[in-house]
């Protein structure tokens, strides 16, 4: 059985003493503990991975090819969810 909670503008908001979950009518999500927001952390992590380098015998090289369409697609999909 599905649980549906909706107000007139389609936004869902669940609050506790330690955090908030919000879903907007256009499908954007926000999960926060009051200080940090989960989708922003994930987006920042992907940005950091794209900039990360490792030492090799031919010099510093990217850990992940930033031109990899899968990598760019993952970043875009996470950013689409951010509320």
């Amino acid at each position: 059985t599905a649980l549906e909670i909706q107000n007139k503008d389609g936004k869902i908001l669940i609050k506790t003493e330690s955090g908030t979950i919000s879903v907007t009518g256009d499908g954007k999500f926000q999960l926060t503990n009051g200080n940090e927001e989960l989708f922003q952390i994930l987006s920042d992590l992907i940005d950091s991975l794209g900039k990360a380098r490792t030492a090799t015998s031919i010099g510093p090289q990217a850990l992940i090819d930033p031109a990899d369409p899968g990598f760019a697609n993952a970043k875009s999909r996470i950013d689409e969810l951010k509320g």
Side-chain angles (χ1 to χ4, degrees):
T1 304
L3 173 64
E4 185 174 326
I5 304 169
Q6 190 173 46
N7 67 12
K8 64 182 176 183
D9 66 357
K11 184 175 182 177
I12 298 170
L13 183 63
I14 301 170
K15 283 187 168 188
T16 68
E17 290 181 16
S18 60
T20 302
I21 299 172
S22 170
V23 182
T24 64
D26 60 352
K28 304 286 184 181
F29 291 82
Q30 186 178 45
L31 287 84
T32 180
N33 66 358
N35 297 317
E36 298 284 352
E37 200 279 316
L38 179 62
F39 291 108
Q40 186 61 54
I41 293 169
L42 291 173
S43 182
D44 293 347
L45 175 62
I46 289 179
D47 285 339
S48 293
L49 287 172
K51 296 173 187 172
R53 301 287 180 257
T54 188
T56 70
S57 60
I58 59 171
Q61 299 294 310
L63 293 177
I64 299 171
D65 179 3
D68 177 2
F71 185 74
N73 186 28
K75 166 83 169 130
S76 175
R77 289 168 54 203
I78 288 172
D79 288 344
E80 280 287 316
L81 291 173
K82 283 194 304 186

